[in-house]
Amino acid sequence: MIYWELFMAFFIPGIVGYGGGPASIPLIEHEVVNRYQMVSVEQFGEILALGNTLPGPIATKMAGYIGYETAGLPGAAIAIFATVAPSLIAMILLLGILIKFKDSPRVKQMTMFIRPAIAVLLGVLAYQFFNNGLAEAGVLHTVILGGGSFLLFEKSKIHPAIVILLALVYGVIFLS
């Protein structure tokens, strides 16, 4: 019974909370705190804070933690699957439609219209990261990290994972 409750506690927010973590957090809280009483409000707040410190989607991190605390490793697997299942099902269904119409001129035209919007969204995200870096680390560290990353990417052709690792090491050494 606990496995079914875990599945439903994360599957329903996955369907209704379209848009990702911030949209689904209140829904997950309602399910795991109010409906199924898997955790208390205080515990949920701590889980949310812990989940925000780790990289990746917040909903899956919370599902894994709550599932594990509630029903061990099988509970974590079920909760994580329930979190991603709605998107997975939608992608599989939409993939069939996309394959059917992949050569359609209308689909190609729609794709061309989406590209500028994605470029603008990525530009806004980069601008926000830059401003956050300035506010948190200061101008000197932002210039060092930005300029150093640019030189390593463009001039030295170092793999991005290594550049990210070097930036993390720099942050630990100089910004802690």
Side-chain angles (χ1 to χ4, degrees):
M1 189 68 170
I2 189 66
Y3 296 132
W4 177 251
E5 289 177 353
L6 270 170
F7 181 83
M8 293 307 292
F10 289 97
F11 185 75
I12 291 171
I15 291 173
V16 180
Y18 184 76
S24 62
I25 289 171
L27 301 169
I28 294 171
E29 179 185 19
H30 174 74
E31 295 294 319
V32 300
V33 173
N34 299 331
R35 180 171 289 172
Y36 297 111
Q37 289 98 27
M38 294 175 184
V39 295
S40 68
V41 174
E42 293 80 18
Q43 288 172 318
F44 186 83
E46 291 172 1
I47 294 167
L48 178 61
L50 177 65
N52 277 322
T53 64
L54 302 171
I58 186 73
T60 54
K61 293 180 284 189
M62 293 176 70
Y65 185 87
I66 293 170
Y68 185 79
E69 287 295 316
T70 305
L73 198 54
I78 289 169
I80 291 170
F81 175 74
T83 302
V84 299
S87 298
L88 182 66
I89 293 166
M91 286 174 50
I92 291 170
L93 293 175
L94 293 174
L95 183 63
I97 294 169
L98 181 63
I99 289 173
K100 183 177 178 181
F101 295 107
K102 71 178 180 178
D103 295 323
S104 166
R106 287 186 178 167
V107 171
K108 289 181 181 181
Q109 188 177 19
M110 284 177 18
T111 303
M112 293 304 292
F113 286 134
I114 292 172
R115 286 182 183 172
I118 292 171
V120 168
L121 290 173
L122 287 173
V124 168
L125 186 63
Y127 178 75
Q128 289 172 342
F129 281 158
F130 180 75
N131 278 340
N132 189 34
L134 283 175
E136 295 291 324
V139 175
L140 177 65
H141 293 298
T142 302
V143 169
I144 290 171
L145 287 169
S149 297
F150 176 77
L151 291 173
L152 291 172
F153 280 136
E154 295 300 321
K155 302 298 181 193
S156 301
K157 303 293 184 199
I158 293 179
H159 193 276
I162 295 172
V163 175
I164 292 170
L165 182 63
L166 291 172
L168 287 171
V169 170
Y170 178 89
V172 168
I173 293 171
F174 295 105
L175 300 175
S176 295

